[in-house]
Amino acid sequence: EAGVVQSPRYKIIEKKQPVAFWCNPISGHNTLYWYRQNLGQGPELLIRYENEEAVDDSQLPKDRFSAERLKGVDSTLKIQPAELGDSAVYLCASSLLAGGSGEQFFGPGTRLTVL
Amino acid sequence: GQQLNQSPQSMFIQEGEDVSMNCTSSSIFNTWLWYKQDPGEGPVLLIALYKAGELTSNGRLTAQFGITRKDSFLNISASIPSDVGIYFCAGSLTGNQFYFGTGTSLTVIP
């Protein structure tokens, strides 16, 4: 069974430029998460989807970040415009059911560097 | 967002030694998870705990859900070089949103 797929794996951009990350969760997983992981820290939740609905986006900086999961499968996270402080690893995770076993399966992440 | 406190921050041990690390929270949780993250990869789930006082093993790994529901512990017995990585705890009250710890970096010296 394929795991969570993310692309690109690495992205280097100049500040004020836009950037987008893509995630394809494990087949059949209804819940999708986007996390940001700063260097030396644990992941922090940005947004959680149940199917195509964003059910928790309280930690998403909505002035510059947006996300979508139009058909309830793959998802895109966008930053526009990017700032220096956005440099981090952006992780996508999925789980079969929300509030169930809590077993979230993570993708390899996208490492973003903003210059 | 909330970050749980993990200690120690880093460990350097000899191969074959046992390892203990812990994670504490200011609030109670109903689920504790332990993950391992290798460089350039996402975290991989090691052990899940769902009940206060629960003790669960996965091979050489054993984790415990603290009685107070505000802490959890992970032990690795007879460490081997492939145990190297960063170990994260994660806790949740509802099972929907998980808060992650700051991580414990483990180095195993052959």
Side-chain angles (χ1 to χ4, degrees):
Chain A
E1 178 182 274
V4 177
V5 179
Q6 290 189 247
S7 70
R9 291 294 309 273
Y10 305 92
K11 189 73 176 178
I12 301 174
I13 61 172
E14 293 188 344
K15 63 181 180 182
K16 300 184 181 179
Q17 295 299 307
V19 64
F21 315 123
W22 177 80
C23 171
N24 193 299
I26 293 173
S27 177
H29 280 199
N30 299 317
T31 305
L32 183 146
Y33 310 78
W34 281 103
Y35 287 88
R36 176 168 59 190
Q37 185 175 23
N38 292 315
L39 189 64
Q41 299 292 319
E44 293 183 289
L45 182 69
L46 291 174
I47 188 168
R48 174 171 63 93
Y49 281 93
E50 289 184 17
N51 298 305
E52 65 274 8
E53 182 181 0
V55 295
D56 184 356
D57 62 356
S58 57
Q59 302 301 315
L60 190 73
K62 298 181 184 62
D63 57 335
R64 297 183 300 106
F65 286 65
S66 64
E68 59 183 16
R69 191 185 186 200
L70 293 176
K71 296 183 180 180
V73 180
D74 55 352
S75 175
T76 303
L77 178 68
K78 298 179 181 177
I79 308 175
Q80 181 171 11
E83 297 178 352
L84 294 176
D86 295 332
S87 293
V89 174
Y90 291 83
L91 293 163
C92 178
S94 69
S95 64
L96 187 59
L97 293 172
S101 66
E103 293 190 20
Q104 298 178 26
F105 297 85
F106 283 84
T110 297
R111 180 176 296 277
L112 173 68
T113 302
V114 182
L115 302 176
Chain B
Q2 180 181 3
Q3 286 257 305
L4 310 182
N5 293 316
Q6 281 188 248
S7 73
Q9 186 175 357
S10 61
M11 302 181 73
F12 294 82
I13 62 169
Q14 293 283 343
E15 182 177 358
E17 289 184 350
D18 296 344
V19 173
S20 292
M21 61 187 77
N22 68 72
C23 183
T24 59
S25 167
S26 57
S27 52
I28 61 172
F29 290 134
N30 288 323
T31 303
W32 283 96
L33 306 176
W34 283 93
Y35 286 87
K36 178 175 182 276
Q37 186 173 27
D38 292 327
E41 299 297 327
V44 174
L45 183 66
L46 299 173
I47 292 180
L49 302 160
Y50 303 107
K51 185 177 178 181
E54 180 182 357
L55 192 70
T56 298
S57 294
N58 178 7
R60 293 178 296 106
L61 277 63
T62 301
Q64 185 165 21
F65 192 138
I67 289 293
T68 67
R69 296 167 62 196
K70 291 184 177 182
D71 55 10
S72 181
F73 310 89
L74 177 68
N75 295 312
I76 305 173
S77 62
S79 59
I80 59 178
S82 62
D83 291 334
V84 167
I86 302 178
Y87 291 79
F88 288 101
C89 62
S92 176
L93 183 63
T94 63
N96 291 326
Q97 182 168 3
F98 280 85
Y99 298 96
F100 281 76
T102 49
T104 293
S105 175
L106 178 63
T107 300
V108 179
I109 304 167

